[in-house]
Amino acid sequence: MADDKTILIKGGLCVGQGKSRQADVLVADGRIRRIADSIEATPAMEVIPAKGCIVSYGLCDVHVHLREPGYEYKETIATGSRAAAHGGFTTVCAMPNLKPAPDSPEALQVELDAIHRDAVIDVRPYATITRGRKGTEVVDVEALRDKVCGFSDDGSGIQRAEVMRQAMIRVKEAGSLIAAHCEDNSLIHGGYIHDGRYAREHGHRGICSESEWGQIARDVKLAAETGCHYHVCHISTKESVDIIRKAQQAGVHVTCETGPHYLALCEDDLREEGRYKMNPPLRSREDQAALIRGIQDGTITCIATDHAPHSAEEKARGLEHSAMGIVGLETSFAVAYTTLVERGLISIEQLIQLMCDRPRETFGLGGSLHEGESADLTLMDITTPYHIDSHTFLSKGKATPFDGMEVKGRCLLTLFRGRKVWSSAPQN
């Protein structure tokens, strides 16, 4: 197909901004030109039938690890952005645990050059909060703010409250946000899975819940004091949900995300395999239930994958010795749809808000399913079941606890600025 050919997506359920309607969508010259009950096809159009599918604005993941620069053997901008397109994402925010860490305009430029060269979708980088992600010296926020989606030391918690306070003051002044990885190192004690029943029964060292929620409790007080927009990464505990809910009710500018794996799985699902190891770990069934309640009542703002690819060898060492992290870009929508919508826990409209609308609004990324917008669109088949197969992933990383799971929600088409960046959709 020529890049400038007109595309008509016909008969899908258009979902966005909390609403849905059966409609046709016409794309031309990189824009959404028309959304209507029925649009007559012409011979010049490529017609994509969408019966049994939803059409949404491109999904947005505010927490991914693309590993470039520095760790290209795990993932690259090219492979990671193609994996994102395969999963229905047209915008992702790339975490800064890289080499060099993007803690200065010069270091950030290395990543920006790779994005400009190789990304097939919109990739927005984070800058670090502190120099080298060492948790001691706050970066020059003013020099970086216009080039990044926010500031994060993801992979490392800020251990000193005074450092976080200074960071919040500067980020608030710059009009940006902090996306915090909350982890108190003094409470880890060499743990690598949840400090719960499975760890006790199988002789593993556990990570206590307070290592996460303790820093969140500290930071929401600092956010209230400074007025900074504070976004909490990958929450996994019931206490975290409660602390954030109360802070939001008190008017603190705090948002948060959780991952599909924390909603679909808990420690009861663990196996002695590296593909079940991530940080934070799968928690208790009670934590899982609290996260789902947080999704339902709006406390949790976004579903984000924390897509964290590693080499096959790094993930083949069992629970104790494997690297932390799983991939998720190519399974996220299907797992969330099957876990939440198919079971009647939330509506499809709510899911699209969590995976598209609210992440974009929270991070000021723009875009929505309206006429005149850039044609960043996703077509998902929500009627035909299939089994997740990691061998089909475009990511270099293959480690997922969902391998073999039967799901609905396969991505058939992803358009970015009107161009196909992923397609297995039929056409007439």
Side-chain angles (χ1 to χ4, degrees), residues 392-407:
T392 67
F393 291 175
L394 302 184
S395 170
K396 287 188 177 184
K398 311 299 180 186
T400 171
F402 300 116
D403 223 350
M405 177 181 176
E406 185 176 272
V407 292

Side-chain angles (χ1 to χ4, degrees), residues 261 274-278 305-310 315 324-328 399-402:
H261 39 290
R275 64 193 181 102
Y276 287 84
K277 185 178 183 181
M278 71 288 292
T305 62
D306 192 10
H307 175 82
H310 295 286
K315 293 300 290 183
M324 290 279 198
I326 59 171
V327 295
T400 171
F402 300 116

Side-chain angles (χ1 to χ4, degrees), residues 61 63-65 67 75 259-265 270 273-282 304-311 314-315 319 322-332 335 393 395-403:
D61 191 336
H63 191 139
V64 305
H65 298 269
R67 305 301 194 199
E75 190 79 286
H261 39 290
Y262 303 119
L263 300 168
L265 304 172
L270 282 171
E273 301 175 40
R275 64 193 181 102
Y276 287 84
K277 185 178 183 181
M278 71 288 292
N279 189 25
L282 297 175
T305 62
D306 192 10
H307 175 82
H310 295 286
S311 70
E314 288 171 322
K315 293 300 290 183
L319 277 179
S322 289
M324 290 279 198
I326 59 171
V327 295
L329 282 168
E330 293 163 274
T331 60
S332 179
V335 168
F393 291 175
S395 170
K396 287 188 177 184
K398 311 299 180 186
T400 171
F402 300 116
D403 223 350

